[in-house]
Amino acid sequence: MGAYDVKRIGHRGAGVLAPENTLAAIAKAAELGADMVEIDVRLSADGVPVLAHDPDAVLDGRGHVPISNLTAAELRQTGATPETAVPALRDALDRCAQLGLGPYIEIKERAAVEPLLAELVPRDLARHSVLGSFDAASVALAARLAPGIPTAILFGAFDRDPVALARSCGARYVHPCWERHPAPHTLLTAEWLAAVRDAGLGVVCWHEERPEVLAALLRIGVSGICTDRLDLLGEVARRVAAEEE
């Protein structure tokens, strides 16, 4: 696997380069060469899947208000423009389809699984998507209800058995979230990778913005790298690809 075979995944769209989890962030990710965009999904007060990482939204004059207390229509008024407001998942999926991006959907609450699948499954985009969560029960539910859509189990512990964890919930990808480790690539030992790959699993890492770590992950050949800095990942990938020639 070469540097250009690794999927480039924009964290929360294009995390630090546009307002996260918005249509603007999705468009920015496409502009920067992303293959996929990681988006977080919760439910609004009226049961609509919407994009939001945090449980609260910030409203003028009202401060922090729980997403679960706001309708999808109210959430569309949270930004200066529709491009920077909290969008419904359906609008984000439409934008992904228009821009040729695969959605890497992080399920933030188990109750969102069935409503989000109702939006995603009928679309051709579903076969280019991944559903992930830190909650193994959410991953297992998604895998059972939509077996054709790949799933990923996210975890932060350095000592978890990735194969056992994936098998416990039917995940096809293991997703170590080791961004706080000074050198997370050193944890992806040959033995660790062999066990994961022998089990037929892919590896996605996030969210990484250190050039030396990005380069190491590209050389290892993980399945995907989720990052706030797609621009930097592109630069590093070009350098690593040149080294491989």
Side-chain angles (χ1 to χ4, degrees), residues 4 114 160:
Y4 284 113
E114 293 191 48
R160 292 299 298 268

Side-chain angles (χ1 to χ4, degrees), residues 88-172:
L89 174 63
R90 67 175 69 96
D91 296 326
L93 295 178
D94 286 345
R95 185 61 57 89
C96 285
Q98 291 165 4
L99 297 172
L101 295 171
Y104 191 106
I105 300 173
E106 185 185 341
I107 303 161
K108 301 302 288 187
E109 51 192 41
R110 202 173 305 167
V113 172
E114 293 191 48
L116 80 81
L117 287 176
E119 292 286 353
L120 180 61
V121 169
R123 298 169 181 260
D124 182 62
L125 192 67
R127 61 194 179 97
H128 303 293
S129 304
V130 176
L131 301 172
S133 182
F134 283 97
D135 176 42
S138 293
V139 175
L141 179 60
R144 178 171 62 82
L145 295 177
I149 302 177
T151 50
I153 183 67
L154 283 61
F155 59 97
F158 302 141
D159 57 352
R160 292 299 298 268
D161 179 338
V163 174
L165 183 58
R167 285 176 174 164
S168 74
C169 58
R172 297 192 212 172

Side-chain angles (χ1 to χ4, degrees), residues 35-125:
D35 300 296
M36 305 186 77
V37 284
E38 186 265 346
I39 52 179
D40 302 291
V41 174
R42 298 180 177 276
L43 291 182
S44 65
D46 47 346
V48 176
V50 297
L51 269 57
H53 177 271
D54 297 335
D56 297 340
V58 181
L59 277 65
D60 288 342
R62 295 174 62 184
H64 290 267
V65 180
I67 297 285
S68 59
N69 289 353
L70 297 166
T71 66
E74 289 173 317
L75 289 165
R76 284 196 296 271
Q77 306 304 313
T78 54
T81 70
E83 291 290 305
T84 58
V86 175
L89 174 63
R90 67 175 69 96
D91 296 326
L93 295 178
D94 286 345
R95 185 61 57 89
C96 285
Q98 291 165 4
L99 297 172
L101 295 171
Y104 191 106
I105 300 173
E106 185 185 341
I107 303 161
K108 301 302 288 187
E109 51 192 41
R110 202 173 305 167
V113 172
E114 293 191 48
L116 80 81
L117 287 176
E119 292 286 353
L120 180 61
V121 169
R123 298 169 181 260
D124 182 62
L125 192 67

Side-chain angles (χ1 to χ4, degrees), residues 163 167 190-202:
V163 174
R167 285 176 174 164
E191 180 182 19
W192 192 99
L193 288 166
V196 168
R197 289 168 175 164
D198 287 349
L201 302 170

